[in-house]
């Protein structure tokens, strides 16, 4: 007889930029039994989730649904569905996740034009707009809040310029949605992606996204019906502009999320239960109340850190309200402090990437983790 | 005050080829609280899951881990990581999911050579081997059990031929792993993909896969480190052979699943809990006992169906033991029967795709759904 293994999950206070703690209500919802993917009870849930997502993402777009994968799956889905070989894409990068946009766009075959600014700062909108006019790209891809540096880029003026110049504006809002204001329609964002494991406070594994008819038009031009769904199995479906991924092909995904329910993948049942419940929790709290709670706990955390004599990293004017970056004092081993916090107190904070690794700690105040109790415990374990 | 929405999940007996019911133990495991992705408690769980997967997939491969996406994400991950522009790929297709392999390989830029056989039959290994010798492809991609037609392709001789001819053998075993014998190493399969929502009986959303050093060698040749993880943000990482997807790039995924833990996505915490528990349940039952249970319930189902005077679809010698296809009698509206079963009895069975839609019902006996009670209820609701 094989020895029984048990899942061991110690209690944690998670103060990283994700994955963060989730409301027990979300976990309860996720313990519901399975429904078939074409069961009317399940397809209703899909439709309701789309409605809830529209509210949280502040959009009237027809299309708002999750991709079954983590945040970057959603980013790649949008980019690979609209970028064709040698399309010009402008990416103003102010941290690691601008690097990720670049990486994905390059792999999609784009001619990437990269703008850099020092990590810890963001771009003046005018700088970006000038470059847009010069390069005239098909797509401008930008991060809203980059957790690697803890900065947030103002997007409204840039969105307006993109619309005027007829450029598709794609935004990675993984770190900001449901933690601070993100106005998809008002900021004229054409495609926006978020993730479940940050301020939505749902376990990692889904990337909710939305896009408007400007992006849909590109999708429809590139669309093909999947082999095996056609009644003639030999029928060839293709234009030279075919989307390179099947799994992340938004033109097929939107058919699956439409009343046609054209089979694509098998929707991730339990994750959808969690997303549905998480979105309901957000809307019950109210977006404005939720943003206010995030601001309050951020301010408490910042005050406590400064009271300890520690220094924040980066340009404070553009601080991301959901992540606080703290300079590791000279002579202190940042990783051993994190290890001590985790092992002795069950508190998790994060390090950073690339040039900032070992130089800053990053403390998240996101979603269900963003509560007074957690902030106080983290400041004084 | 906003009205409270409640998640409503009616009880179902799910007798489709997936998603199927899951053991309540899996759902309990999934209700555990969140762990950070670099928390040693979580990385240990990742390592243990790899060990469990190796046992279930009957392999000694170093690499055995899930991709965070549904089954086809795993298939695309393997194919897009090894196929380069104009590589020859041979695909003998005996159902819809051969069509899916074709679709994915084409999008990866492959020169696809397609073999067809009538739906309801499979290939003689000699046919495939003769074509392998003629075409000399880099990759042979095949489905093991195609749920669309309910057939299972013998793979052992084909695997041996691939190894002799130095061809990479990739198998979609989504419908068979943990329900019937699948011997990755003994059948000389180089890359094998499965899904959670069928005989593993874990909710949809993960694609466990394994591959050997023959595939790893291709990955290492095409590997690039992600921008933003390099200390020099401007450093260019690229060979002309770069993998087209970031999310599904196995060369990066294996770094994340290795002791290096190089950051890629945020592993889907709760889904991993479910996979871990599901794999433990499988190994506690024992693979041979589990296959035997699947055979027994299949035989009971088949006997009952034949006793009703209904006729099975397809070549019985190659019947997939986890899916039973039944011809819809002339004059019967297949969809209204399915609707009645669902609405009046809470029992779900499936229709099929493409040329078989409206012609057959498909009844799954997979994983936790594969139990005597369910078979009896389905035969006599």
């Amino acid at each position: 007889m094989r020895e029984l293994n048990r899942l061991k999950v110690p209690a944690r206070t998670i103060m990283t930029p994700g994955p963060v703690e989730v409301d027990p209500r979300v976990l309860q919802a996720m313990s519901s039994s399975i429904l078939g993917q074409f069961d009317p009870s399940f397809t209703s849930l899909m439709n309701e989730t789309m409605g809830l997502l529209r509210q949280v993402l502040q959009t009237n777009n027809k299309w708002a649904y999750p991709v079954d994968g983590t945040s970057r799956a959603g980013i790649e889905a949008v980019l690979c569905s609209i970028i064709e070989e040698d399309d010009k894409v402008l990416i103003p990068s102010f941290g690691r996740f601008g690097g990720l946009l670049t990486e994905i766009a390059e792999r999609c075959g784009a001619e990437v034009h990269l703008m850099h600014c020092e990590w810890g700062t963001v771009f003046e909108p005018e700088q970006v707009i000038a470059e847009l006019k010069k390069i005239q790209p098909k797509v401008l891809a930008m991060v809203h809040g980059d957790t690697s540096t803890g900065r947030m880029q103002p997007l409204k003026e840039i969105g307006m310029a993109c619309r005027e110049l007829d450029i598709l504006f794609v935004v990675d809002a993984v770190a900001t949605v449901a933690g601070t204001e993100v106005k998809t329609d008002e900021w004229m964002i054409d495609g926006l992606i978020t993730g479940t494991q940050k301020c939505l406070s749902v376990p990692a594994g889904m990337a909710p996204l939305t896009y408007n008819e400007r992006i849909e038009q590109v999708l429809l031009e590139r669309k093909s019906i999947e082999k095996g769904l056609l009644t003639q199995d030999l029928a060839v479906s293709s234009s030279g502009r075919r989307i390179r991924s099947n799994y992340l092909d938004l033109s097929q995904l939107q058919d699956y999320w439409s009343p046609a329910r054209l089979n694509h993948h098998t929707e991730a049942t339990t994750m959808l239960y969690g997303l549905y419940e998480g979105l309901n929790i957000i809307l019950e709290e109210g977006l404005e109340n939720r943003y206010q709670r995030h601001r309050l706990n951020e301010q408490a955390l910042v005050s406590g850190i400064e009271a300890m004599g520690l220094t924040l990293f980066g340009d404070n004017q553009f601080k991301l309200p959901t992540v606080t970056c703290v300079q590791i004092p000279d002579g202190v081993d940042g990783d051993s402090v994190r290890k001590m916090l985790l092992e002795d107190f069950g508190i998790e904070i994060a390090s950073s990437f690339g040039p900032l690794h070992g130089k800053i700690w990053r403390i998240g105040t996101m979603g269900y983790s963003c509560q007074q109790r957690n902030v106080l415990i983290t400041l004084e374990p």
Side-chain angles (χ1 to χ4, degrees), chain A:
Chain A
M1 181 67 188
R2 197 166 165 285
E3 204 185 326
L4 199 71
N5 286 322
R6 306 301 285 169
L7 180 66
K8 296 169 203 76
V9 179
R12 295 294 193 225
T13 299
I14 308 186
M15 299 301 277
T16 66
V20 303
E21 300 170 36
V22 309
D23 193 312
R25 270 180 60 189
V26 169
L27 298 175
Q28 282 161 22
M30 293 178 76
S31 71
S32 304
S33 58
I34 301 297
L35 287 171
Q37 63 173 325
F38 297 117
D39 190 318
S41 302
F42 190 71
T43 53
S44 299
L45 190 70
M46 290 171 75
N47 290 340
E48 279 185 63
T49 302
M50 291 175 82
L52 298 170
L53 261 183
R54 283 184 202 104
Q55 293 176 63
V56 170
L57 301 178
Q58 303 197 48
T59 182
N60 292 315
N61 287 341
K62 178 175 175 190
W63 300 115
Y65 56 82
V67 165
D68 288 356
T70 66
S71 314
R72 64 173 61 197
I75 297 171
E76 186 167 323
V78 172
L79 292 181
C80 84
S81 294
I82 61 173
I83 296 175
E84 300 171 55
E85 196 72 28
D86 299 327
D87 274 346
K88 285 190 210 171
V89 177
L90 180 64
I91 301 175
S93 171
F94 56 100
R96 185 218 159 162
F97 293 98
L100 178 61
L101 290 175
T102 308
E103 156 117 5
I104 294 172
E106 282 180 0
R107 294 194 191 210
C108 295
E111 179 188 311
V112 174
H113 295 258
L114 199 53
M115 295 173 71
H116 276 282
C117 67
E118 198 189 337
W119 282 27
T121 66
V122 298
F123 293 91
E124 289 294 336
E126 298 71 35
Q127 276 180 279
V128 175
I129 293 167
E131 201 69 10
L132 281 175
K133 289 179 177 163
K134 194 175 112 196
I135 307 287
Q136 302 196 322
K138 174 174 173 180
V139 177
L140 173 69
M142 269 195 110
V143 174
H144 184 211
D146 200 312
T147 60
S148 68
T149 65
R151 292 316 102 183
M152 185 163 70
Q153 172 70 50
L155 296 177
K156 191 173 178 174
E157 289 170 83
I158 296 173
M160 208 177 304
C162 283
R163 195 62 57 95
E164 275 169 19
L165 297 165
D166 196 21
I167 290 161
L168 295 174
F169 187 28
V170 174
V171 173
D172 162 357
V174 172
T176 49
V177 164
T180 185
E181 196 76 85
V182 180
K183 297 185 168 187
T184 303
D185 289 358
E186 197 177 312
W187 296 351
M188 299 191 184
I189 296 168
D190 296 302
L192 179 134
I193 306 100
T194 190
T196 45
Q197 80 282 7
K198 300 192 190 274
C199 303
L200 294 184
S201 255
V202 169
M206 271 189 164
L209 52 79
T210 185
Y211 53 88
N212 60 19
E213 63 290 342
R214 282 160 49 87
I215 284 188
E216 189 181 7
Q217 194 186 323
V218 180
L219 303 181
L220 294 178
E221 288 165 9
R222 304 184 71 191
K223 181 176 171 171
S224 57
I225 302 278
E226 190 169 309
K227 275 183 213 297
L229 290 181
L230 298 169
T231 40
Q232 273 292 354
D233 187 52
L234 285 164
V236 176
S237 52
S238 58
S239 73
R241 302 176 59 191
R242 194 168 182 191
I243 294 167
R244 282 181 176 186
S245 173
N246 166 278
Y247 189 65
L248 301 173
D249 178 339
L250 295 180
S251 78
Q252 294 194 344
L253 282 166
Q254 72 179 31
D255 278 348
Y256 180 62
W257 283 87
S258 80
R261 297 278 169 223
L262 202 59
N263 184 241
H264 184 257
H265 62 288
T266 300
E267 183 56 19
T269 325
T270 302
M271 283 300 301
L272 193 75
Y273 296 164
L275 177 61
Y276 174 83
E277 190 70 1
L279 293 171
N280 272 306
I281 289 172
I282 290 167
L283 293 169
E284 284 167 23
E285 179 174 13
L287 287 177
E288 201 38 71
N289 293 338
R290 194 170 177 95
Y291 303 150
Q292 175 55 28
R293 170 165 63 81
H294 279 77
R295 275 193 295 273
L296 186 70
N297 285 301
E298 179 212 13
Q299 283 161 12
L301 179 68
V302 166
S303 303
I305 284 167
E306 290 179 334
M308 286 181 202
L310 292 168
T311 308
L312 297 189
F313 166 81
D315 183 346
N316 194 49
Q317 194 189 342
F318 300 104
K319 183 181 176 305
L320 178 56
T322 55
V323 181
T324 298
C325 296
V326 184
Q327 293 188 26
I328 299 172
D330 285 343
V332 172
D333 176 358
D335 284 346
S336 63
V337 172
R338 293 199 306 117
K339 190 160 183 274
M340 176 271 292
L341 277 173
L342 187 70
E343 288 180 0
D344 295 351
F345 302 99
I347 297 168
E348 193 187 22
I349 66 170
S351 62
S352 193
F353 305 100
L356 290 178
H357 186 84
K359 302 212 173 128
I360 62 170
W361 292 302
R362 299 180 305 141
I363 305 176
T365 40
M366 292 180 161
Y368 190 74
S369 280
C370 177
Q371 43 177 300
Q372 181 178 316
R373 193 183 77 97
N374 280 8
V375 171
L376 293 176
I377 289 171
T378 305
L379 288 170
E380 191 163 18

